[in-house]
Every structure is written in structure tokens, then in C-alpha cells.
Coordinates of all heavy atoms in Angstrom, one line a residue:
M1 N -34.3 -15.6 -15.5 CA -34.5 -14.7 -14.4 C -34.1 -15.3 -13.1 O -34.4 -16.5 -12.9 CB -36.0 -14.3 -14.4 CG -36.2 -13.0 -13.7 SD -37.5 -12.2 -14.5 CE -38.4 -11.6 -13.1
S2 N -33.5 -14.6 -12.3 CA -33.0 -15.1 -11.0 C -34.1 -14.9 -9.9 O -34.8 -13.9 -9.9 CB -31.7 -14.4 -10.6 OG -31.3 -14.8 -9.4
S3 N -34.0 -15.8 -8.9 CA -35.0 -15.7 -7.8 C -34.4 -14.9 -6.6 O -35.0 -14.7 -5.6 CB -35.4 -17.1 -7.3 OG -34.2 -17.8 -6.8
T4 N -33.1 -14.5 -6.8 CA -32.5 -13.7 -5.7 C -32.7 -12.2 -5.9 O -32.9 -11.8 -7.1 CB -31.0 -14.0 -5.6 OG1 -30.4 -13.6 -6.9 CG2 -30.7 -15.4 -5.4
T5 N -32.8 -11.5 -4.8 CA -32.9 -10.0 -4.9 C -31.6 -9.4 -4.4 O -30.9 -9.9 -3.6 CB -34.1 -9.5 -4.1 OG1 -33.9 -9.9 -2.8 CG2 -35.4 -10.1 -4.7
N6 N -31.4 -8.2 -4.9 CA -30.2 -7.4 -4.4 C -30.7 -6.4 -3.4 O -30.9 -5.3 -3.6 CB -29.5 -6.7 -5.6 CG -28.9 -7.7 -6.5 OD1 -28.4 -8.7 -6.0 ND2 -28.8 -7.3 -7.8
A7 N -30.9 -6.9 -2.2 CA -31.3 -6.1 -1.1 C -30.1 -5.3 -0.6 O -29.0 -5.8 -0.6 CB -31.9 -6.9 0.1
P8 N -30.3 -4.1 -0.2 CA -29.1 -3.3 0.3 C -28.6 -3.9 1.6 O -29.3 -4.4 2.5 CB -29.7 -1.9 0.6 CG -31.2 -2.1 0.7 CD -31.5 -3.3 -0.1
A9 N -27.3 -3.9 1.8 CA -26.6 -4.4 2.9 C -26.9 -3.5 4.2 O -27.0 -2.3 4.0 CB -25.1 -4.5 2.7
P10 N -27.1 -4.1 5.3 CA -27.3 -3.3 6.5 C -26.0 -2.5 6.8 O -24.9 -2.9 6.4 CB -27.5 -4.3 7.6 CG -26.9 -5.6 7.1 CD -27.0 -5.6 5.6
P11 N -26.1 -1.4 7.5 CA -24.9 -0.6 7.8 C -24.0 -1.3 8.7 O -24.4 -2.1 9.5 CB -25.5 0.7 8.4 CG -26.8 0.3 8.9 CD -27.3 -0.8 8.0
A12 N -22.7 -1.1 8.5 CA -21.7 -1.7 9.3 C -21.8 -1.2 10.7 O -22.1 -0.1 11.0 CB -20.3 -1.5 8.7
P13 N -21.4 -2.1 11.7 CA -21.4 -1.6 13.1 C -20.4 -0.5 13.3 O -19.4 -0.4 12.5 CB -21.0 -2.8 13.9 CG -21.1 -4.0 13.0 CD -21.1 -3.5 11.6
R14 N -20.6 0.3 14.3 CA -19.7 1.5 14.5 C -18.3 1.1 14.7 O -17.4 1.8 14.1 CB -20.2 2.2 15.8 CG -19.5 3.5 16.0 CD -20.1 4.3 17.2 NE -19.4 5.5 17.4 CZ -19.9 6.7 17.2 NH1 -21.2 6.8 16.9 NH2 -19.3 7.8 17.3
P15 N -17.9 0.1 15.5 CA -16.4 -0.3 15.6 C -15.8 -0.6 14.2 O -14.7 -0.3 14.0 CB -16.4 -1.4 16.5 CG -17.7 -1.3 17.3 CD -18.7 -0.7 16.4
T16 N -16.6 -1.3 13.4 CA -16.1 -1.6 12.0 C -15.8 -0.4 11.2 O -14.8 -0.3 10.5 CB -17.1 -2.6 11.3 OG1 -17.2 -3.7 12.1 CG2 -16.6 -2.9 9.9
R17 N -16.8 0.6 11.3 CA -16.6 1.8 10.5 C -15.4 2.6 11.1 O -14.6 3.2 10.3 CB -17.8 2.7 10.7 CG -19.0 2.2 9.9 CD -20.1 3.2 9.8 NE -20.4 3.8 11.1 CZ -21.6 3.6 11.7 NH1 -22.5 2.9 11.2 NH2 -21.8 4.2 12.9
I18 N -15.2 2.6 12.4 CA -14.0 3.3 12.9 C -12.7 2.6 12.5 O -11.8 3.3 12.1 CB -14.2 3.4 14.5 CG1 -15.3 4.3 14.9 CG2 -12.9 3.9 15.1 CD1 -15.7 4.3 16.3
A19 N -12.7 1.3 12.6 CA -11.5 0.6 12.2 C -11.2 0.7 10.7 O -10.0 0.9 10.3 CB -11.7 -0.9 12.6
T20 N -12.2 0.8 9.9 CA -12.0 1.0 8.5 C -11.5 2.4 8.2 O -10.6 2.5 7.4 CB -13.3 0.8 7.7 OG1 -13.8 -0.6 8.0 CG2 -13.1 0.9 6.2
A21 N -12.0 3.4 8.9 CA -11.5 4.7 8.7 C -10.0 4.8 9.2 O -9.2 5.4 8.5 CB -12.3 5.7 9.5
L22 N -9.7 4.2 10.3 CA -8.3 4.2 10.8 C -7.4 3.4 9.8 O -6.2 3.8 9.6 CB -8.2 3.6 12.1 CG -8.8 4.4 13.3 CD1 -8.8 3.6 14.6 CD2 -8.1 5.7 13.5
F23 N -7.9 2.4 9.2 CA -7.1 1.6 8.2 C -6.8 2.5 7.0 O -5.7 2.6 6.5 CB -7.9 0.4 7.7 CG -7.3 -0.3 6.6 CD1 -6.1 -1.1 6.7 CD2 -7.9 -0.2 5.3 CE1 -5.6 -1.7 5.6 CE2 -7.3 -0.9 4.2 CZ -6.1 -1.6 4.4
V24 N -7.8 3.2 6.5 CA -7.6 4.1 5.3 C -6.6 5.2 5.7 O -5.7 5.5 4.9 CB -8.9 4.7 4.9 CG1 -8.7 5.8 3.9 CG2 -9.8 3.7 4.3
V25 N -6.7 5.8 6.8 CA -5.7 6.8 7.3 C -4.3 6.3 7.4 O -3.4 6.9 6.9 CB -6.2 7.5 8.6 CG1 -5.1 8.4 9.2 CG2 -7.5 8.3 8.4
S26 N -4.2 5.1 8.0 CA -2.8 4.5 8.1 C -2.2 4.1 6.8 O -1.0 4.3 6.6 CB -2.9 3.3 9.1 OG -3.7 2.3 8.6
V27 N -3.0 3.6 5.9 CA -2.5 3.3 4.5 C -2.0 4.5 3.8 O -0.9 4.6 3.2 CB -3.6 2.5 3.7 CG1 -3.1 2.4 2.2 CG2 -3.8 1.1 4.3
L28 N -2.9 5.6 3.9 CA -2.5 6.8 3.2 C -1.2 7.4 3.9 O -0.3 7.9 3.2 CB -3.6 7.9 3.3 CG -4.8 7.5 2.4 CD1 -5.9 8.6 2.6 CD2 -4.4 7.5 0.9
F29 N -1.1 7.3 5.2 CA 0.1 7.8 5.9 C 1.3 7.1 5.5 O 2.3 7.7 5.2 CB -0.1 7.7 7.4 CG 1.1 8.2 8.2 CD1 1.3 9.5 8.3 CD2 2.0 7.3 8.7 CE1 2.5 10.0 9.0 CE2 3.1 7.7 9.4 CZ 3.3 9.0 9.6
F30 N 1.3 5.7 5.5 CA 2.5 5.0 5.1 C 2.9 5.2 3.6 O 4.0 5.2 3.3 CB 2.5 3.6 5.6 CG 2.1 2.5 4.7 CD1 2.9 2.0 3.7 CD2 0.9 1.9 4.8 CE1 2.6 1.0 2.8 CE2 0.5 0.9 4.0 CZ 1.3 0.5 3.0
L31 N 1.9 5.3 2.8 CA 2.2 5.6 1.4 C 2.8 6.9 1.2 O 3.8 7.1 0.4 CB 0.9 5.5 0.5 CG 0.4 4.1 0.3 CD1 -0.9 4.1 -0.4 CD2 1.4 3.2 -0.4
L32 N 2.3 7.9 1.9 CA 2.9 9.3 1.8 C 4.3 9.3 2.4 O 5.2 9.9 1.9 CB 2.0 10.3 2.5 CG 0.7 10.6 1.8 CD1 -0.1 11.6 2.6 CD2 1.0 11.3 0.4
A33 N 4.5 8.6 3.5 CA 5.8 8.6 4.2 C 6.8 7.8 3.3 O 8.0 8.3 3.1 CB 5.7 7.9 5.5
G34 N 6.4 6.7 2.7 CA 7.3 6.0 1.8 C 7.6 6.8 0.5 O 8.8 6.8 0.1
S35 N 6.6 7.5 0.0 CA 6.9 8.4 -1.1 C 7.9 9.5 -0.8 O 8.7 9.9 -1.6 CB 5.6 9.0 -1.7 OG 4.8 8.0 -2.1
A36 N 7.7 10.1 0.4 CA 8.6 11.1 0.9 C 10.0 10.6 1.0 O 11.0 11.3 0.7 CB 8.1 11.7 2.2
I37 N 10.2 9.4 1.5 CA 11.5 8.8 1.6 C 12.1 8.7 0.2 O 13.3 9.1 -0.1 CB 11.5 7.4 2.2 CG1 11.1 7.6 3.7 CG2 12.8 6.7 2.1 CD1 10.8 6.2 4.4
V38 N 11.4 8.1 -0.8 CA 12.0 7.9 -2.1 C 12.2 9.2 -2.8 O 13.3 9.4 -3.4 CB 11.0 7.0 -2.9 CG1 11.4 6.9 -4.4 CG2 10.9 5.6 -2.3
I39 N 11.3 10.1 -2.8 CA 11.4 11.4 -3.5 C 12.5 12.2 -2.9 O 13.4 12.8 -3.6 CB 10.1 12.1 -3.6 CG1 9.1 11.4 -4.5 CG2 10.3 13.6 -4.1 CD1 7.7 11.8 -4.4
G40 N 12.6 12.2 -1.5 CA 13.6 12.9 -0.8 C 15.0 12.4 -1.1 O 16.0 13.1 -1.4
Q41 N 15.1 11.0 -1.2 CA 16.4 10.4 -1.5 C 16.8 10.7 -2.9 O 18.0 11.0 -3.2 CB 16.4 8.9 -1.3 CG 16.5 8.6 0.2 CD 16.6 7.1 0.4 OE1 15.9 6.3 -0.3 NE2 17.5 6.7 1.3
I42 N 15.9 10.7 -3.8 CA 16.2 11.1 -5.2 C 16.8 12.5 -5.3 O 17.8 12.8 -6.0 CB 15.0 10.9 -6.1 CG1 14.7 9.4 -6.3 CG2 15.2 11.5 -7.5 CD1 13.4 9.1 -7.0
A43 N 16.1 13.4 -4.6 CA 16.5 14.8 -4.7 C 17.9 15.0 -4.0 O 18.7 15.7 -4.6 CB 15.4 15.7 -4.0
I44 N 18.1 14.4 -2.9 CA 19.3 14.5 -2.2 C 20.5 13.9 -3.0 O 21.6 14.4 -3.1 CB 19.2 13.9 -0.8 CG1 18.3 14.8 0.1 CG2 20.6 13.9 -0.1 CD1 17.9 14.2 1.4
L45 N 20.2 12.7 -3.6 CA 21.3 12.1 -4.4 C 21.6 12.9 -5.6 O 22.7 12.9 -6.1 CB 20.8 10.6 -4.8 CG 20.9 9.6 -3.6 CD1 20.3 8.3 -4.1 CD2 22.3 9.4 -3.2
A46 N 20.5 13.5 -6.2 CA 20.8 14.4 -7.4 C 21.7 15.6 -7.0 O 22.5 16.1 -7.8 CB 19.5 14.9 -7.9
A47 N 21.6 16.0 -5.7 CA 22.4 17.1 -5.2 C 23.8 16.6 -4.9 O 24.7 17.4 -4.7 CB 21.8 17.7 -4.0
G48 N 24.0 15.2 -4.8 CA 25.3 14.7 -4.7 C 25.7 14.4 -3.2 O 26.9 14.3 -3.0
D49 N 24.8 14.2 -2.3 CA 25.1 13.9 -0.9 C 24.5 12.6 -0.5 O 23.4 12.5 0.0 CB 24.6 15.0 -0.1 CG 25.2 15.0 1.3 OD1 25.9 14.0 1.7 OD2 24.9 15.9 2.1
A50 N 25.3 11.5 -0.6 CA 24.8 10.1 -0.3 C 24.6 10.0 1.2 O 23.7 9.3 1.6 CB 25.8 9.1 -0.8
T51 N 25.4 10.6 2.0 CA 25.3 10.5 3.4 C 23.9 11.1 3.9 O 23.2 10.5 4.7 CB 26.4 11.2 4.2 OG1 27.7 10.6 3.7 CG2 26.3 11.0 5.7
A52 N 23.6 12.3 3.3 CA 22.3 12.9 3.7 C 21.1 12.1 3.3 O 20.1 12.0 3.9 CB 22.3 14.3 3.1
A53 N 21.3 11.4 2.1 CA 20.2 10.5 1.7 C 20.0 9.4 2.6 O 18.8 9.0 2.9 CB 20.5 10.0 0.3
R54 N 21.0 8.8 3.2 CA 20.9 7.7 4.2 C 20.3 8.3 5.4 O 19.4 7.6 6.1 CB 22.3 7.1 4.5 CG 22.7 6.1 3.4 CD 23.9 5.3 3.9 NE 25.1 6.1 4.2 CZ 26.0 6.5 3.3 NH1 25.8 6.0 2.0 NH2 27.0 7.2 3.6
H55 N 20.7 9.5 5.9 CA 20.1 10.1 7.1 C 18.6 10.4 6.9 O 17.8 10.3 7.8 CB 20.8 11.3 7.5 CG 22.2 11.0 8.0 ND1 22.4 10.2 9.1 CD2 23.4 11.4 7.6 CE1 23.7 10.1 9.3 NE2 24.4 10.9 8.4
W56 N 18.2 10.8 5.7 CA 16.8 11.1 5.3 C 16.0 9.8 5.5 O 14.9 9.9 6.1 CB 16.8 11.6 3.9 CG 15.4 11.9 3.4 CD1 14.6 11.2 2.7 CD2 14.6 13.1 3.7 NE1 13.4 11.8 2.5 CE2 13.4 13.0 3.1 CE3 14.9 14.3 4.4 CZ2 12.4 14.0 3.1 CZ3 13.9 15.3 4.5 CH2 12.7 15.1 3.8
A57 N 16.5 8.7 5.0 CA 15.7 7.5 5.1 C 15.7 7.0 6.5 O 14.7 6.5 7.0 CB 16.4 6.4 4.2
D58 N 16.8 7.2 7.3 CA 16.8 6.8 8.7 C 15.8 7.6 9.5 O 15.3 7.1 10.5 CB 18.2 6.9 9.3 CG 19.2 5.9 8.7 OD1 18.7 4.8 8.2 OD2 20.4 6.1 8.8
A59 N 15.6 8.9 9.1 CA 14.7 9.7 9.9 C 13.3 9.4 9.6 O 12.4 9.5 10.5 CB 15.0 11.2 9.6
L60 N 12.9 9.1 8.4 CA 11.5 8.9 8.0 C 11.1 7.5 8.0 O 9.9 7.2 8.1 CB 11.2 9.5 6.6 CG 11.3 11.0 6.5 CD1 11.0 11.4 5.1 CD2 10.4 11.7 7.5
G61 N 12.1 6.6 8.0 CA 11.8 5.1 7.9 C 10.9 4.6 9.0 O 9.9 3.9 8.8
P62 N 11.2 5.0 10.3 CA 10.3 4.4 11.4 C 8.8 4.9 11.3 O 7.9 4.1 11.6 CB 10.9 5.0 12.7 CG 12.4 5.3 12.3 CD 12.3 5.7 10.8
Y63 N 8.6 6.1 10.7 CA 7.2 6.5 10.6 C 6.5 5.7 9.5 O 5.3 5.3 9.7 CB 7.2 8.0 10.2 CG 7.8 8.9 11.3 CD1 9.0 9.5 11.2 CD2 7.1 9.0 12.5 CE1 9.6 10.2 12.2 CE2 7.6 9.8 13.6 CZ 8.9 10.4 13.4 OH 9.4 11.1 14.4
A64 N 7.2 5.5 8.4 CA 6.6 4.7 7.3 C 6.4 3.3 7.8 O 5.3 2.7 7.5 CB 7.5 4.7 6.1
F65 N 7.3 2.7 8.5 CA 7.2 1.3 9.0 C 6.0 1.3 10.0 O 5.2 0.3 10.0 CB 8.5 0.9 9.7 CG 8.4 -0.5 10.2 CD1 8.5 -1.6 9.4 CD2 8.2 -0.7 11.6 CE1 8.4 -2.9 9.9 CE2 8.2 -2.0 12.1 CZ 8.2 -3.1 11.3
G66 N 5.9 2.3 10.9 CA 4.8 2.3 11.9 C 3.5 2.4 11.2 O 2.5 1.7 11.6
G67 N 3.4 3.2 10.2 CA 2.1 3.3 9.5 C 1.7 2.0 8.8 O 0.6 1.6 8.8
A68 N 2.7 1.3 8.2 CA 2.5 0.1 7.5 C 2.1 -1.0 8.5 O 1.2 -1.9 8.3 CB 3.7 -0.4 6.7
S69 N 2.7 -1.0 9.7 CA 2.4 -1.9 10.8 C 1.0 -1.8 11.2 O 0.2 -2.8 11.4 CB 3.3 -1.8 11.9 OG 4.7 -2.1 11.5
V70 N 0.6 -0.5 11.5 CA -0.8 -0.3 11.9 C -1.8 -0.7 10.9 O -2.8 -1.3 11.2 CB -1.0 1.2 12.3 CG1 -2.5 1.6 12.5 CG2 -0.2 1.6 13.5
A71 N -1.5 -0.4 9.6 CA -2.4 -0.8 8.5 C -2.5 -2.3 8.4 O -3.6 -2.9 8.2 CB -1.9 -0.2 7.2
G72 N -1.4 -3.0 8.6 CA -1.4 -4.5 8.5 C -2.3 -5.1 9.7 O -3.0 -6.0 9.5
L73 N -2.1 -4.6 10.9 CA -2.8 -5.1 12.0 C -4.3 -4.8 11.9 O -5.2 -5.6 12.2 CB -2.3 -4.5 13.3 CG -0.9 -4.9 13.7 CD1 -0.4 -4.1 14.9 CD2 -0.9 -6.4 14.1
L74 N -4.7 -3.6 11.4 CA -6.1 -3.3 11.2 C -6.7 -4.1 10.1 O -7.8 -4.6 10.2 CB -6.3 -1.8 10.9 CG -6.1 -0.9 12.1 CD1 -6.0 0.6 11.6 CD2 -7.3 -1.1 13.1
S75 N -5.9 -4.4 9.0 CA -6.4 -5.2 8.0 C -6.7 -6.6 8.5 O -7.7 -7.3 8.1 CB -5.3 -5.3 6.9 OG -5.7 -6.2 5.9
F76 N -5.8 -7.2 9.3 CA -6.0 -8.5 9.9 C -7.2 -8.5 10.8 O -8.1 -9.4 10.7 CB -4.8 -8.9 10.7 CG -4.9 -10.2 11.4 CD1 -4.8 -11.4 10.7 CD2 -5.1 -10.3 12.8 CE1 -4.9 -12.6 11.3 CE2 -5.2 -11.5 13.4 CZ -5.1 -12.7 12.7
A77 N -7.4 -7.5 11.6 CA -8.6 -7.4 12.5 C -9.9 -7.3 11.7 O -10.9 -7.9 12.0 CB -8.4 -6.2 13.5
L78 N -9.8 -6.5 10.6 CA -11.0 -6.3 9.8 C -11.4 -7.5 9.0 O -12.6 -7.7 8.6 CB -10.8 -5.1 8.9 CG -10.9 -3.7 9.5 CD1 -10.5 -2.6 8.5 CD2 -12.4 -3.4 10.0
S79 N -10.4 -8.4 8.8 CA -10.8 -9.6 8.1 C -11.7 -10.6 8.9 O -12.3 -11.5 8.4 CB -9.5 -10.4 7.7 OG -8.9 -11.0 8.8
Y80 N -11.8 -10.3 10.2 CA -12.6 -11.1 11.1 C -13.9 -10.5 11.4 O -14.7 -11.0 12.2 CB -11.9 -11.4 12.4 CG -10.8 -12.5 12.2 CD1 -9.5 -12.1 12.0 CD2 -11.2 -13.8 12.2 CE1 -8.5 -13.1 11.8 CE2 -10.2 -14.8 12.0 CZ -8.9 -14.4 11.8 OH -7.9 -15.4 11.6
R81 N -14.2 -9.3 10.8 CA -15.5 -8.6 11.2 C -16.7 -9.4 10.7 O -16.6 -10.2 9.7 CB -15.5 -7.2 10.6 CG -15.7 -7.2 9.1 CD -15.6 -5.8 8.6 NE -16.1 -5.6 7.2 CZ -15.4 -6.0 6.2 NH1 -14.2 -6.5 6.3 NH2 -15.9 -5.8 5.0
R82 N -17.8 -9.2 11.3 CA -19.0 -9.9 10.9 C -19.8 -9.0 10.0 O -19.7 -7.8 10.1 CB -19.9 -10.2 12.2 CG -19.4 -11.2 13.1 CD -19.4 -12.5 12.5 NE -20.2 -13.4 13.3 CZ -20.6 -14.6 12.8 NH1 -20.3 -14.9 11.6 NH2 -21.2 -15.4 13.5
G83 N -20.6 -9.6 9.2 CA -21.5 -8.8 8.3 C -21.0 -8.4 7.0 O -21.6 -7.7 6.3
G84 N -19.8 -9.0 6.6 CA -19.3 -8.6 5.3 C -19.1 -9.9 4.4 O -18.4 -10.8 4.8
G85 N -19.6 -9.9 3.2 CA -19.4 -10.9 2.2 C -19.8 -12.3 2.7 O -20.7 -12.5 3.4
D86 N -19.1 -13.3 2.1 CA -19.4 -14.7 2.4 C -19.0 -15.2 3.8 O -19.5 -16.1 4.3 CB -18.7 -15.6 1.3 CG -19.3 -15.4 0.0 OD1 -20.5 -14.9 -0.1 OD2 -18.6 -15.6 -1.0
A87 N -18.0 -14.5 4.4 CA -17.6 -14.9 5.7 C -18.6 -14.6 6.8 O -18.5 -15.1 7.9 CB -16.3 -14.2 6.0
A88 N -19.6 -13.8 6.5 CA -20.6 -13.4 7.5 C -21.5 -14.5 7.9 O -22.1 -14.5 8.9 CB -21.4 -12.2 7.0
D89 N -21.7 -15.5 7.0 CA -22.6 -16.6 7.3 C -22.1 -17.5 8.3 O -22.9 -18.3 8.9 CB -23.0 -17.3 6.0 CG -21.9 -18.0 5.3 OD1 -20.7 -17.9 5.8 OD2 -22.1 -18.7 4.3
G90 N -20.8 -17.6 8.5 CA -20.2 -18.4 9.6 C -20.3 -19.9 9.3 O -20.1 -20.7 10.1
G91 N -20.7 -20.2 8.1 CA -21.0 -21.6 7.7 C -19.8 -22.4 7.4 O -19.7 -23.6 7.7
G92 N -18.8 -21.8 6.8 CA -17.6 -22.5 6.5 C -17.9 -23.6 5.5 O -17.2 -24.7 5.5
G93 N -18.9 -23.4 4.6 CA -19.2 -24.4 3.6 C -20.2 -25.4 4.0 O -20.6 -26.3 3.2
E94 N -20.8 -25.4 5.2 CA -21.8 -26.3 5.6 C -23.1 -25.9 5.2 O -23.4 -24.7 5.2 CB -21.7 -26.5 7.2 CG -20.4 -27.0 7.7 CD -20.3 -27.0 9.2 OE1 -21.4 -26.8 9.8 OE2 -19.2 -27.1 9.7
A95 N -24.0 -26.8 4.9 CA -25.4 -26.5 4.5 C -26.2 -26.3 5.8 O -26.0 -26.9 6.8 CB -26.0 -27.6 3.7
D96 N -27.2 -25.3 5.7 CA -28.1 -25.0 6.8 C -29.3 -26.0 6.7 O -30.0 -25.9 5.7 CB -28.5 -23.6 6.8 CG -27.4 -22.6 7.1 OD1 -26.6 -22.9 7.9 OD2 -27.4 -21.5 6.4
D97 N -29.5 -26.8 7.6 CA -30.6 -27.8 7.6 C -31.7 -27.4 8.5 O -31.5 -26.9 9.6 CB -30.1 -29.2 7.9 CG -29.2 -29.8 6.8 OD1 -29.6 -29.5 5.6 OD2 -28.3 -30.4 7.1

């Protein structure tokens, strides 16, 4: 039997919840934009117009890249949040005396 208890974690601070929600939205956005690029290019190439397929990717590419950039930056920022997992103790492997 273990001497530890599984107490519920305290709720995340409001900025963390907002950043997490924005992260989810940005990931979904860039996945949808990337899928639209690939599916659109497949359809256009099936129709036999390679130039239009390149224009399609050029038109949607910046939006997919922007969504991926925002998701990456939010992921980086969220990796430094307090209150989650082992990183919350701030110990860095040191014992509390």
C-alpha cells in the first residue's frame, strides 16, 4: 500500500487556461489549413492544372505557417507555466531540507 494520496490538482490560473485554449485553436487551425492545402492540391492536380495547384499552396501557405508559428510559440510559453507536473516544484532535482 502506498502512503501517497491522489489529491485533485488545483485549477490552473486564468492566463494558463487562456493560453491553453489559444494553443488548441491555433493547432486546429494550422491542421485544417494544411489539410486544405494538400486536399486542394490533390483535387486540382487530378483536374490537370499544375499551375493552379501551386497558386493554391501559395495562397493558403502563409495561413498554415502562421497558425503553426502561433502554436509553437504558445507551446514554448506553456512549457514554463507553474503548477503542472514535476516542473512545478522548481527543485531541479534538489532535495528539500
Side-chain angles (χ1 to χ4, degrees):
M1 199 145 139
S2 176
S3 63
T4 60
T5 60
N6 290 329
R14 186 178 183 113
T16 301
R17 288 192 313 248
I18 292 170
T20 302
L22 290 173
F23 171 73
V24 169
V25 169
S26 64
V27 167
L28 290 175
F29 177 77
F30 95 79
L31 288 175
L32 289 173
S35 297
I37 291 171
V38 172
I39 293 169
Q41 283 186 318
I42 290 170
I44 294 169
L45 286 174
D49 192 354
T51 304
R54 281 191 298 271
H55 289 302
W56 179 262
D58 289 341
L60 293 181
Y63 298 107
F65 180 78
S69 298
V70 169
L73 290 172
L74 285 169
S75 174
F76 180 72
L78 284 169
S79 71
Y80 284 99
R81 76 184 190 280
R82 292 292 240 164
D86 294 333
D89 62 358
E94 299 174 14
D96 293 322
D97 291 320

